[in-house]
């Protein structure tokens, strides 16, 4: 299992479009990927659970991945967050 802390840096937070992009990336991997916000856990492959986190800008998420492609999954998720979900800010 690999874990990482990722900050939500886009101004709208993890809103519907960003959550959909995150879920799309997560579903490219066979590993189980979880997001945790202050003890509230979401399956990164489920848009409903990701949206229920209510992660606004500045939120620090604990991301964990477990499986044969866990490192690639974490790297891809870090990239999408760092690229502001391709929204520009």
């Amino acid at each position: 299992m690999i874990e990482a802390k990722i900050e939500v840096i886009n101004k709208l937070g993890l809103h519907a479009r960003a959550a959909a992009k995150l879920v799309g990336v997560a579903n490219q991997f066979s590993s189980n990927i979880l997001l945790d916000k202050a003890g509230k856990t979401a399956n990164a492959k489920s848009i409903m659970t990701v949206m229920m986190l209510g992660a606004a800008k500045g939120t620090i998420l604990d991301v964990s991945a477990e499986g044969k492609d866990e490192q690639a999954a974490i790297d891809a998720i870090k990239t999408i967050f760092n690229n502001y979900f391709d929204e520009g800010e």
Side-chain angles (χ1 to χ4, degrees):
M1 178 188 295
I2 296 177
E3 299 179 348
K5 291 193 181 296
I6 300 176
E7 181 177 359
V8 179
I9 59 174
N10 58 315
K11 75 176 182 182
L12 297 176
L14 202 48
H15 59 91
R17 193 173 325 115
K21 286 187 179 190
L22 172 62
V23 169
V25 168
N27 276 305
Q28 295 174 9
F29 300 95
S30 63
S31 293
N32 292 323
I33 306 166
L34 299 176
L35 307 173
D36 185 277
K37 175 190 163 198
K40 194 176 192 181
T41 303
N43 176 347
K45 297 180 180 184
S46 165
I47 193 155
M48 292 304 292
T49 61
V50 170
M51 292 289 299
M52 291 183 70
L53 286 177
K57 181 178 181 176
T59 300
I60 305 292
L61 298 173
D62 294 313
V63 182
S64 62
E66 184 171 13
K68 62 183 176 183
D69 55 1
E70 60 192 22
Q71 185 63 59
I74 290 287
D75 292 344
I77 289 171
K78 283 182 182 178
T79 298
I80 196 163
F81 272 85
N82 291 334
N83 288 339
Y84 298 88
F85 298 93
D86 298 324
E87 294 178 348
E89 57 181 278

